[in-house]
Amino acid sequence: MQNFNYMEATVAGIHAAILAGEITCRSLIDFYLGRIAACDKQGLRINSVITINPRAGEEADKLDAVFKQTGKLSGALHGIPVLLKDNINTFDMPTTSASLSLKNFTPAQDAFVCAKLKAAGAIILAKMNLHEFAMWGETVSSMLGQTLNPYDLTRTPGGSSGGTGAGIAANFGVIGIGTDTINSIRSPASANCLVGIRPTMGLVSDNGIFPYAPTQDTAGPICRTVEDAALTLDVIAGHDSGDAKTDWCLGQMPAGGYASFQKKDGLKGKRIGVLERFFGKGEIHAQVNRVMDDALKIFSHKGAEMVPLADDAVLQICPVKLAAGKFDTGKFDAAWIVSNVSVHLDEFKENVNAYLGALPPGAPVHSLDEVIASGKYHPGIKANIDAAMALSTSTPEYKKKLAYIAEMQPRMIKLMSDFKLDAIIFPHQQQLVCKVGESQKERNGVLASVTGFPSIALPAGFSDPTPDAPLGVPVGMEILGRPWSEPLLLEIAYGFEQAAAVRKAPLMPV
């Protein structure tokens, strides 16, 4: 068992090693627990893990016993250690949304996605830090404090699923699950040289996940490879009778599964729009733009046709017209969409109150008012909580945002149809992920979030190395498609991943 290289191990590699008798589920769990012990709260002090599953070794032993008896794996994720964002309910471990106001609270049952992971043989190894209540993108919380980026300890890991992202990048587990309301799966994927999938709304249930804005909330994989992300999506996707949004996914999933769309020539013949308005133009954007330029050359070299989408094309998406009937060209960008279209803060209060109000009598809080009164939350989210408390879903402003969303969706489809596009590409973040103590700027993930269209963030390259970032800071690209086009997006992502070979583990103790 000493010859197997656990670092950067994939699901397929692990399963092949188990079948060959080279490793066991127990040795796998022991390796990752050792990594966490060496690097999370000591060593580099990534500070990503809120709770370790105290029964992980016992669960691994049971899986090993099943394999010894049957000679077969118990499921698609047999023995695979999962890092789960701590806003996803687990009946056997606390779920805190990284808030001291919910410390030690353990839900009565697993979230739907958690149950599906366990049914596939996965082991929930740890619950991971997030930006408290998933309310922004730096991954700082009252429960754990600031999680650090393993590629540059002076930077954040993105967010809000940054604990999951940092942990997967640092090889604390094999696959991760995050949630995404605006950027929160793709931001840590971009910042940590990972693959993150925000699925089409309704493909993955959010039943049993602490809510932010159900119009935009979804869960999805955060993994080191496209293949593992696709395998994970196969497990967690599907209809849930407890989540009406998933009624839309019936008949939409490929018969052979998402993992079957791994084509080395996946870029060949694809027609891909380059969303120029989502690229920065200043000196602060130079590193990201250099990486993206190099990535786009690989797309072309491997047979994709790259189609520039300049303002006259992109403004077809904009739902706002001036009095003269022309589009308001000065407003439409990601920041404008976050402020004027996204309903994240509008829906927060009512849905969080409903979630907390349904908790059992022994839960520490039952409303946002009680959270605020407790004072047990990080001061960094106070401004967002205050803003959310002043909003509701009964205002004309909220209804206007819903109208904008309803208008943008067909406009996106028309743009892709007019230009005969298979997908649209842009940097996930126009500048490098921010330093600790700063706030994320110019993230582009909101376009997929408000439309509900699927997108994949994957590694595009690294910035120039510095003393703080000896490999450079990861830069992620985002590939957006039509609803239910995950198979096509996975072809594109896999084709680029295989051609570019960008993924490097951070420089950490082995």
Side-chain angles (χ1 to χ4, degrees):
M1 296 184 187
Q2 299 301 315
N3 295 325
F4 183 76
N5 184 8
Y6 293 96
M7 289 293 293
E8 300 287 288
T10 64
V11 173
I14 288 167
H15 282 171
I18 291 173
L19 290 167
E22 297 174 7
I23 65 171
T24 63
C25 295
R26 185 55 181 257
S27 68
L28 188 68
I29 291 298
D30 288 346
F31 169 79
Y32 288 110
L33 289 175
R35 288 284 295 172
I36 292 170
C39 300
D40 195 58
K41 300 300 186 293
Q42 58 185 9
L44 294 184
R45 298 182 182 273
I46 301 301
N47 199 39
S48 64
V49 177
I50 292 178
T51 305
I52 291 174
N53 181 359
R55 293 164 300 281
E58 177 185 337
E59 291 172 19
D61 290 341
K62 289 180 180 178
L63 288 167
D64 285 333
V66 169
F67 177 70
K68 184 177 181 179
Q69 181 179 9
T70 66
K72 297 179 180 179
L73 302 178
S74 63
L77 295 179
H78 175 95
I80 299 301
V82 177
L83 305 183
L84 198 66
K85 188 176 182 179
D86 197 33
N87 63 344
I88 301 173
N89 285 352
T90 44
F91 86 92
D92 50 359
M93 283 186 281
T95 299
T96 70
S97 288
S99 179
L100 284 173
S101 66
L102 285 167
K103 185 178 181 180
N104 297 326
F105 171 68
T106 301
Q109 60 186 28
D110 286 333
F112 186 80
V113 296
C114 182
K116 295 197 80 175
L117 290 164
K118 290 179 178 179
I123 298 172
I124 308 302
L125 182 63
K127 303 292 292 291
M128 308 302 288
N129 199 27
L130 59 143
H131 204 104
E132 191 159 347
F133 296 135
M135 289 198 84
W136 205 240
E138 294 77 48
T139 307
V140 61
S141 70
S142 63
M143 180 63 69
L144 202 63
Q146 176 70 64
T147 297
L148 302 179
N149 189 313
Y151 291 92
D152 181 346
L153 298 175
T154 70
R155 293 182 186 271
T156 75
S160 62
S161 311
T164 303
I168 293 298
N171 281 267
F172 292 172
V174 178
I175 63 174
I177 302 294
T179 63
D180 191 310
T181 303
I182 307 178
N183 299 285
S184 294
I185 288 170
R186 294 152 298 151
S187 171
S190 173
N192 294 281
C193 200
L194 300 170
V195 178
I197 301 177
R198 179 188 165 92
T200 305
M201 281 298 293
L203 182 58
V204 175
S205 172
D206 58 13
N207 188 9
I209 297 175
F210 191 96
Y212 191 164
T215 295
Q216 297 169 202
D217 289 347
T218 189
I222 300 176
C223 301
R224 290 187 289 269
T225 67
V226 173
E227 179 182 38
D228 279 359
L231 284 168
T232 305
L233 185 62
D234 274 326
V235 169
I236 65 173
H239 184 250
D240 172 13
S241 60
D243 182 355
K245 291 196 301 294
T246 63
D247 292 346
W248 290 90
C249 80
L250 292 169
Q252 299 290 352
M253 293 181 292
Y258 294 105
S260 65
F261 292 89
Q262 314 289 307
K263 298 182 180 179
K264 288 195 72 172
D265 64 347
L267 297 179
K268 188 175 181 180
K270 301 298 192 297
R271 187 172 164 88
I272 300 174
V274 181
L275 192 56
E276 294 180 348
R277 182 163 273 238
F278 277 31
F279 287 68
K281 303 294 190 277
E283 181 60 29
I284 198 170
H285 307 112
Q287 291 284 322
V288 169
N289 288 344
R290 188 263 301 164
V291 170
M292 288 298 298
D293 286 346
D294 291 344
L296 294 179
K297 290 173 185 175
I298 293 174
F299 274 80
S300 297
H301 178 68
K302 290 297 181 177
E305 182 180 358
M306 309 309 287
V307 181
L309 298 176
D311 279 359
D312 58 345
V314 174
L315 289 168
Q316 293 182 31
I317 308 169
C318 182
V320 179
K321 288 185 178 182
L322 299 174
K326 296 181 179 180
F327 292 109
D328 190 345
T329 59
K331 288 184 177 179
F332 189 75
D333 58 15
W336 185 89
I337 300 171
V338 170
S339 297
N340 295 277
V341 184
S342 176
V343 295
H344 57 289
L345 289 178
D346 306 74
E347 294 186 353
F348 183 79
K349 177 180 66 178
E350 292 167 19
N351 288 285
V352 171
N353 277 336
Y355 175 90
L356 294 176
L359 298 183
V365 290
H366 292 90
S367 69
L368 267 176
D369 283 331
E370 290 184 12
V371 171
I372 294 168
S374 76
K376 295 179 179 180
Y377 61 92
H378 194 279
I381 66 168
K382 184 178 187 304
N384 274 343
I385 286 183
D386 288 347
M389 292 297 286
L391 298 171
S392 79
T393 59
S394 61
T395 65
E397 290 76 16
Y398 174 72
K399 292 176 173 58
K400 182 178 181 181
K401 290 178 179 181
L402 292 182
Y404 281 169
I405 290 171
E407 190 168 347
M408 284 180 65
Q409 290 167 333
R411 287 184 180 279
M412 281 288 296
I413 292 291
K414 187 175 189 305
L415 174 70
M416 297 186 75
S417 298
D418 287 350
F419 285 84
K420 299 179 174 61
L421 301 177
D422 293 300
I424 294 173
I425 191 170
F426 44 86
H428 172 74
Q429 189 159 359
Q430 294 176 32
Q431 53 183 276
L432 299 179
V433 65
C434 74
K435 293 274 191 175
V436 170
E438 299 177 359
S439 182
Q440 304 299 352
K441 295 180 176 64
E442 299 182 309
R443 295 185 295 174
N444 288 322
V446 69
L447 186 58
S449 301
V450 299
T451 58
F453 290 12
S455 68
I456 299 179
L458 73 159
F462 289 85
S463 70
D464 295 334
T466 67
D468 290 328
L471 294 176
V473 178
V475 173
M477 71 172 74
E478 191 164 338
I479 308 171
L480 179 147
R482 293 175 175 83
W484 316 112
S485 67
E486 282 86 353
L488 182 59
L489 296 182
L490 286 165
E491 280 189 16
I492 295 168
Y494 186 78
F496 177 81
E497 176 191 62
Q498 297 303 299
V502 169
R503 169 72 192 170
K504 298 176 187 176
L507 297 179
M508 299 174 64
V510 176

